[in-house]
Amino acid sequence: MQPLIDNARTFGQRPEEFTGLAAGQSPDVLFITCSDSRVVPALITGARPGELFELRTAGNIVPPYAPQRPTGEAATIEYAVEVLGVRDVVVCGHSHCGAVGALVRGDDLTAVPAVRDWLAHAAARPAGAAEDPEVAEGVQSHVLTQLLRLRSYPCVERRLAAGRIALHAWYYEVHTGAVRTHRPETDTFEAL
């Protein structure tokens, strides 16, 4: 913890780098990814403060749209799309994902009921080999499912129909730093 505290103490000593951020934000991208500490969107993309609007959830799950039961995730998506007018949305899964691994393996999660109930939002059990520690196939299949889920949000659906937003599926390898994107024409994840 101490290195983090030390950095936080010196971080604010460069106010000239941040003064313009007080005027507001206008990110072009909503980046939906996992809460995993090994996944750092700004590090992966090189984004500076104000360039990414982030939504981080366990397993980068986009819950079903349910207007009668609003969620923080739905509010974040709606705000990014309707208020900030983001032009791109990235759903980024990652190798060695504990959440997707638990789904692929069918782990017993009774000891962590909140995790179990959250992962139930993932939809179908992702494809993939239970013995694969990277859970690559499972994560990639899961990311595509979450992208489909995102399309069901009314704000996203309207923007897609108007050609005012683009959706992207990414897969990040924590052990190499490589990022792959889904190519619909080949239905494969390939290097960016």
Side-chain angles (χ1 to χ4, degrees):
M1 182 70 183
Q2 193 57 49
L4 300 176
I5 292 169
D6 293 342
N7 189 65
R9 284 184 179 139
T10 61
F11 190 71
Q13 294 177 2
R14 303 180 308 269
E16 65 281 354
E17 294 181 32
F18 303 98
T19 304
L21 296 175
Q25 62 176 322
S26 58
D28 290 329
V29 179
L30 168 60
F31 200 93
I32 301 172
T33 194
C34 188
S35 304
D36 191 297
S37 63
R38 299 168 293 181
V39 180
V40 184
L43 184 63
I44 294 167
T45 63
R48 301 285 302 145
E51 293 181 340
L52 286 180
F53 198 68
E54 295 181 24
L55 173 57
R56 298 187 65 154
T57 69
N60 52 270
I61 291 173
V62 175
Y65 182 75
Q68 69 282 10
R69 288 183 331 198
T71 64
E73 296 80 21
T76 299
I77 293 165
E78 185 176 81
Y79 187 82
V81 172
E82 295 290 0
V83 178
L84 297 176
V86 298
R87 294 190 297 260
D88 293 278
V89 180
V90 174
V91 177
C92 181
H94 67 94
S95 68
H96 304 86
C97 182
V100 174
L103 291 169
V104 168
R105 291 185 303 272
D107 290 353
D108 178 5
L109 300 173
T110 55
V112 284
V115 173
R116 178 198 61 219
D117 295 349
W118 174 252
L119 293 182
H121 289 301
R125 184 175 177 174
E131 63 279 355
D132 176 13
E134 291 180 34
V135 290
E137 182 183 354
V139 170
Q140 291 171 8
S141 138
H142 174 72
V143 165
L144 294 175
T145 299
Q146 301 317 300
L147 207 63
L148 285 173
R149 173 83 54 73
L150 189 59
R151 290 175 172 273
S152 72
Y153 279 60
C155 60
V156 173
E157 185 178 42
R158 281 191 302 276
R159 297 277 172 136
L160 281 169
R164 295 174 54 205
I165 199 166
L167 305 181
H168 311 272
W170 284 12
Y171 172 70
Y172 170 65
E173 293 180 344
V174 299
H175 57 292
T176 67
V179 179
R180 303 185 187 290
T181 188
H182 182 257
R183 306 274 185 219
E185 59 278 4
T186 59
D187 195 26
T188 58
F189 280 79
E190 299 173 13
L192 283 174

